[in-house]
Amino acid sequence: GAYTHRLPGSNAWGDASGGLSVGASIHASLTSLVAAPAAVPTSFPSASLTAGPAAAPTSGPSSVRASTRSNLPDAFDSIPSANQVVVAAGAGAAAATSVPSSWSGAGASRVPLEKASREFKSVFQAFHHKSPEDKYEILTIERIEKKRVFQSFMLLQEEMEEINGPGGAHEMKLFHGTKWDVAEKMVSASCASVFNRSYAGKHGVSYGQGCYFVRQSSYADKYAHPSEDGVCCMFSARVLTGKSRQGNAAMVEPPAGYQSTCNAPSRDISSIFVTYQDAQAYPEHLISYKRLFAPPPPPPPPPP
């Protein structure tokens, strides 16, 4: 049967104060719990759901299903990656209690990654795909483990695939820059939501009044306001872009039949995606880094 779920908050570029966002809270009707399981396409490898930590798949990203791989940088692993859960159609009940097998299970909301780990290297390479190492120094990468936020994300993913067909959630790994202090609050254990859309318009809403994500870390860096000692924060997020079309500043929701808007006529050439439901993005990793170049000077004051 169907039920209505009140999803946590989210914002456009940043969050609780630092980026492009949207105004009002949106309720999403999740109809993920279906009466009978649907067939899983034979072209997708299967994967097990776990109710807690378990051994990570040994065959890496190729052992799990990717919702989309279209036009992603080579540095990105297949989606979902080896540390992520795959939900078969009709598995809504399992999704409601499952978490990625690689999670620590220690109850912490943020877990530092070892620099020698495959997971760290994958995020590192994606960040530096168009952001050279001589301009940015990654200090830490933390895995974000927020169970309720993740479960809402997985339920919405299943709903989108029921509506759009297998792979119709079009999950992508995208970046989201924000102010360092806001990022700290967003990933704290006491914060029930992550991306907060109630601050829309701070940096413009050219493609819709929702939460903004981009392909390139160098673009997201423009909205990553540093701390006093120069530390910047950026999220690497799993984003359900679904069916997407070009947006405009007047849009407070995507057109009928679509789940997101973007900055170009085709999703394949779009570099910016805007989401409108709180559960459409999961902040998988928090990247802390420093810029190794002088910031651009502030614009001159307006004439008297």
Side-chain angles (χ1 to χ4, degrees):
Y3 70 99
T4 299
H5 181 72
R6 175 69 175 90
L7 299 174
S10 146
N11 99 342
W13 220 196
D15 21 59
S17 82
L20 307 176
S21 348
V22 84
S25 297
I26 296 177
H27 287 72
S29 177
L30 300 179
T31 56
S32 311
L33 305 182
V34 296
V40 180
T42 56
S43 59
F44 295 139
S46 61
S48 299
L49 289 168
T50 63
T58 56
S59 57
S62 61
S63 67
V64 291
R65 183 182 71 194
S67 294
T68 181
R69 295 182 177 88
S70 63
N71 204 30
L72 287 175
D74 294 338
F76 281 74
D77 281 348
S78 299
I79 302 172
S81 57
N83 66 322
Q84 296 165 343
V85 172
V86 174
V87 178
T97 59
S98 63
V99 297
S101 59
S102 66
W103 279 21
S104 66
S109 61
R110 49 198 296 185
V111 179
L113 301 182
E114 296 289 338
K115 291 188 176 182
S117 69
R118 179 181 180 184
E119 187 175 353
F120 183 99
K121 292 177 180 178
S122 174
V123 179
F124 182 95
Q125 291 171 359
F127 179 94
H128 284 303
H129 181 68
K130 290 291 180 68
S131 301
E133 292 184 45
D134 61 350
K135 291 187 176 181
Y136 300 93
E137 177 189 5
I138 290 181
L139 305 175
T140 61
I141 299 176
E142 298 170 275
R143 184 195 308 125
I144 306 304
E145 300 183 0
K146 296 179 77 70
K147 184 176 180 180
R148 291 186 180 182
V149 178
F150 181 79
Q151 290 168 347
S152 295
F153 173 85
M154 295 303 292
L155 287 168
L156 184 58
Q157 182 188 64
E158 184 184 9
E159 178 185 324
M160 281 192 181
E161 298 207 352
E162 289 177 354
I163 295 171
N164 298 338
H170 287 288
E171 181 180 331
M172 302 176 70
K173 287 184 179 179
L174 301 171
F175 294 104
H176 179 101
T178 186
K179 297 176 70 173
W180 72 274
D181 57 332
V182 172
E184 291 287 323
K185 295 175 183 177
M186 291 165 65
V187 297
S188 67
S190 61
C191 184
S193 62
V194 180
F195 300 112
N196 184 346
R197 292 170 296 133
S198 63
Y199 293 87
K202 189 175 181 65
H203 296 290
V205 288
S206 299
Y207 307 107
Q209 299 178 38
C211 183
Y212 281 61
F213 299 89
V214 296
R215 292 183 188 269
Q216 304 299 344
S217 59
S218 56
Y219 196 102
D221 175 62
K222 297 178 181 180
Y223 301 92
H225 300 190
S227 64
E228 291 183 359
D229 57 355
V231 176
C232 300
C233 289
M234 183 184 303
F235 287 102
S236 171
R238 295 175 61 177
V239 183
L240 306 176
T241 60
K243 290 184 178 180
S244 190
R245 62 163 291 176
Q246 190 168 13
N248 60 60
M251 290 181 175
V252 295
E253 61 183 3
Y258 294 86
Q259 290 87 33
S260 69
T261 53
C262 53
N263 68 319
S266 167
R267 66 175 300 115
D268 292 334
I269 61 173
S270 291
S271 59
I272 301 172
F273 291 86
V274 186
T275 62
Y276 297 84
Q277 293 191 47
D278 301 341
Q280 270 186 269
Y282 181 76
E284 190 170 40
H285 296 102
L286 176 63
I287 306 167
S288 297
Y289 64 98
K290 284 189 174 183
R291 298 169 179 141
L292 303 179
F293 57 90

